[in-house]
Amino acid sequence: MSPSQNRQADSTGQMPMQQDLSFTTALVQQLVVPTFVLNAEGAVVVWNKACERLTGMPAEDVLGTHNHWRAFYAEQRPCLADLLVENRQAEINNLYPIHHASQEVAFGTHAENWCVMPLRGTELYLEIDAGPIHDANGRVIAVIETLRDMTLRQSAESRLRTLFESSPDPVWIIEDGKFVECNDAAVSMLGYRNKAELLNIHPSQLSPVVQPDGQDSFSKAEEMMRMALEHGLHRFEWEHLRADGTRLTAEVTLSNIKLAGRQALYCAWRDISDRKRAEKALRLYAKVFENSGEAILITDADNRIVAINQSLTRDTGYSQDELLGKNPRVLSSHHTPRDIYQSMWASLRESGYWQGELWDLRKDGVTYPKWAAISAIRNEQGLLTNYIASFTDISERKAAEARIDHLAHHDALTGLFNRYNLESRLAQSLLAAKRENRQLAVMFIDMDRFKTINDTLGHHVGDQMLIEVAQRLLQSVRESDIVARLGGDEFVVTLTSMAGEMDAALVAAKILGTLGAPYLIEGKTLHSTPSIGIAIFPTNGDDANTLMRDADTAMYYAKEHGRNNFQFFTPTMTAAAEERLELERDLRAALSARQFVLHYQPQVTVTEGRVHGVEALVRWHHPERGLIPPLKFIPIAEETGVIEALGAWVLDEACRQLAAWRAEGLTPLRMAVNLSAHQLRSPDLVAQVQATIARHGIRPGELELEVTESAAMNDPERAIAQLKALRDLGVELAIDDFGTGYSSLAYLKLLPIHTLKLDRAFVRDIETDENDAAISAATLALAHNLGLKVVAEGVETEAQRRFLTEHHCDYLQGYLFGKPEPASELSARWKKTR
């Protein structure tokens, strides 16, 4: 038979075939799904209209030939149907890496592949199903192949993955207790060469064996993941190991999500070892959900339903009997915009095909989105006979996109805008303010003492308080204003339209009152106040970075001036902020650089004037700034967390010096050392003190630890437990600055202390101020009634000494008996007087 004879197709777009294929051929021609059929020799015998539209190749150019590959590829290669015709199963793996044997459709093999589509001039991602057709005797007489264009789905997956990978924050996906995906930021933060080293491992494998709280990492990781799965969201601190063995502490947020119908945890890290203030916007990761089969609906030329399949019944809840003869509009939810339908009908009239998104209504009243592909079917004379529509329920994909979009633009804990969204919205607001020539205010808000609440009562209580702060902020401003959380207890409010600076002051005053009101969390009444810094556009700057920086500077100025207030930024604050930043930077290196020294001030007995002990006072000898007073660097050390390391060094150095003095024969002597509030809260304090006194051979009664009244009363129950454990070690205990803090007598009598220190504020004017004299006398009487000794601080005159002696004070400390001085100078002076 000649090639021309081979290519003689009938008017229906098919080659003459044996009777066994006639029914299949007729059915394939009516399908809206692109489909072609190869005979047992591999020649094309059917090429339907949908296949023509998809490939751009007319049926008459391909029927009876083996050239169907030209519709898909630029160079000759077999299609999936060719491999099945020739029984070349082994080659399917190489040519179609994404494939599997299908059990849900009639076809034997399913594959996915990018095809060049040379006749259309565009690359498409196709889903391909192919399977054999048998005659009555079971012989393969043909192979049928169907195609679906999934380019949009594949592109969406690529976009989502790009967003995930480009996130500057470390982001992970956990499935079945293992990391299954992470981005480059995670690899970079941990210092590994590539992500392959981090995947398919349990989170505990990137952690030390034991977490700081003493719990082993594996068990705790399992517990954290379980809590996230149960509650939907869980946040906690975690210690990780970098590739080089160094440790990294991060705030971890686990969010319970669904990916492709599977339970998963979205895991985001925030590095808190460097106390970053910013919380990067949570980044995106998603998969396109696999379709379980398309719903198909057929109407006549008058758009009356004549047939539906089981998938449509499954998706809509309607049976065929309920829909036959009805217009498909009975499925409409009336939520699809009218112009979408107008575009759909126009496309069907012009090209005979339309695809797009519709919102329909199930029988149970639930509205859902679907992706629709509709074709107009015409007969040989070109007259319209039917419409065929296929639908895919995209509810899960839309919900996933909405969830991912929310995670990308909102804080996971409070639901407020995150830093990423704040930057975008602030930039837009600035453009509007410039265009309309109006003012704008940026407020930087930090909650005072929040870290103490968080550390003392737990992160779950802290989280509940932050959620309440967010709600109060939203209630304090207009809907047009911007409220965001940067991370931790830091928030930003942007007033997008103001008549003047007074508007910002009024709103700031309102926020002070709102956020300063008590918080009732889990039956506990908590107190915290805001410190607010304000920067004004255009007075303080005309870009987002400048305004944020200036508002942050003003906020620190508010903290330094008593907290619970607001401050407008002024240029003079910049120099102070720069000095503070320099001190903070230098402070971190000062300990290892041995820039700290201890000075010692003597405490003498009232009756004999004999040196009873000394108080160790830390000084910072800066190489450029000289001697920096404690009042200037101690608050910075407390805020940055350096105070614990510094306090440990002071304790060790003071005990070392005490042992040295004892070796020189300067005894008996007691060493008084101050404990910070941070140290008192530390679970490691008792063990640290025990190790230090053992290392230097300190005897019972030789070491006295001083805690301020405020530190002890902040969490009395914990303080009492810590102090009792210290007393059991033979350590003497004193309350410092008594009378300036809470002065709670109910708790004072419960504290296991030996000594009260009368604050210098009362001693200074004891000669001239009757109130100070009365307070001092009452304090001495109270202490003695409780069986406590009293040390009076700041004694500088003989009159003060006489008053304190008359009221039976036990020990005196002040410039009258010696100023704080280095150990070498103090030793030399003592030796001269012995």
Side-chain angles (χ1 to χ4, degrees), residues 402-708:
R403 173 64 175 161
I404 290 169
D405 182 72
H406 187 83
L407 286 173
H409 295 88
H410 294 79
D411 174 55
L413 177 65
T414 64
L416 298 178
F417 297 138
N418 58 15
R419 177 181 284 272
Y420 173 77
N421 204 359
L422 169 65
E423 291 174 351
S424 173
R425 290 176 179 267
L426 180 54
Q428 293 173 8
S429 297
L430 284 171
L431 289 175
K434 292 174 184 177
R435 184 171 59 251
E436 299 168 14
N437 194 29
R438 51 182 170 80
Q439 288 185 310
L440 176 150
V442 174
M443 297 183 179
F444 208 104
I445 302 169
D446 186 274
M447 297 302 294
D448 304 328
R449 296 182 61 252
F450 173 77
K451 187 177 187 304
T452 300
I453 294 173
N454 206 39
D455 292 345
T456 302
L457 301 179
H459 293 294
H460 63 291
V461 173
D463 286 350
Q464 292 301 312
M465 181 174 171
L466 291 175
I467 292 171
E468 177 66 21
V469 169
Q471 293 303 311
R472 293 187 187 186
L473 281 175
L474 289 172
Q475 295 166 8
S476 301
V477 299
R478 302 164 302 182
E479 289 188 8
S480 59
D481 296 327
I482 302 168
V483 182
R485 179 185 176 223
L486 297 186
D489 60 334
E490 294 176 334
F491 298 84
V492 169
V493 170
T494 300
L495 306 182
T496 56
S497 179
M498 302 190 307
E501 292 187 5
M502 183 55 67
D503 288 352
L506 292 173
V507 174
K510 182 179 180 181
I511 291 174
L512 281 176
T514 301
L515 299 189
Y519 296 82
L520 183 62
I521 307 293
E522 294 188 356
K524 297 181 176 67
T525 300
L526 307 179
H527 298 274
S528 181
T529 56
S531 293
I532 305 174
I534 307 172
I536 303 296
F537 166 84
T539 305
N540 302 129
D542 59 1
D543 64 89
N545 289 336
T546 300
L547 292 171
M548 288 284 286
R549 181 197 64 205
D550 291 350
D552 187 24
T553 299
M555 183 274 291
Y556 274 106
Y557 195 78
K559 280 190 174 296
E560 292 172 358
H561 286 73
R563 306 176 187 269
N564 193 24
N565 69 91
F566 64 86
Q567 298 287 335
F568 284 90
F569 174 79
T570 61
T572 56
M573 293 181 184
T574 303
E578 290 176 353
E579 181 185 15
R580 187 187 186 284
L581 286 175
E582 289 176 2
L583 283 177
E584 180 178 333
R585 180 199 62 203
D586 295 345
L587 184 61
R588 295 182 183 278
L591 195 58
S592 58
R594 300 179 180 274
Q595 294 174 6
F596 290 107
V597 295
L598 291 186
H599 286 188
Y600 302 89
Q601 186 173 34
Q603 298 173 341
V604 302
T605 60
V606 170
T607 54
E608 303 170 355
R610 176 180 55 81
V611 175
H612 164 75
V614 294
E615 180 178 5
L617 301 168
V618 66
R619 300 290 185 264
W620 181 10
H621 197 280
H622 194 282
E624 298 173 0
R625 300 174 183 267
L627 208 59
I628 299 177
L631 288 177
K632 201 163 189 176
F633 70 82
I634 291 296
I636 299 176
E638 290 176 339
E639 290 181 18
T640 57
V642 175
I643 191 67
E644 290 197 35
L646 178 58
W649 177 85
V650 170
L651 176 65
D652 187 76
E653 176 62 17
C655 288
R656 185 201 63 78
Q657 184 60 56
L658 178 61
W661 275 330
R662 189 198 313 128
E664 295 178 30
L666 298 176
T667 57
L669 197 62
R670 175 178 295 170
M671 178 68 71
V673 178
N674 290 283
L675 283 183
S676 70
H678 288 74
Q679 288 175 286
L680 187 61
R681 290 195 300 266
S682 173
D684 301 325
L685 174 63
V686 176
Q688 182 187 86
V689 172
Q690 185 176 25
T692 302
I693 61 180
R695 182 164 53 251
H696 297 291
I698 304 304
R699 301 164 185 164
E702 287 187 332
L703 175 63
E704 179 181 79
L705 296 180
E706 299 180 3
V707 295
T708 64

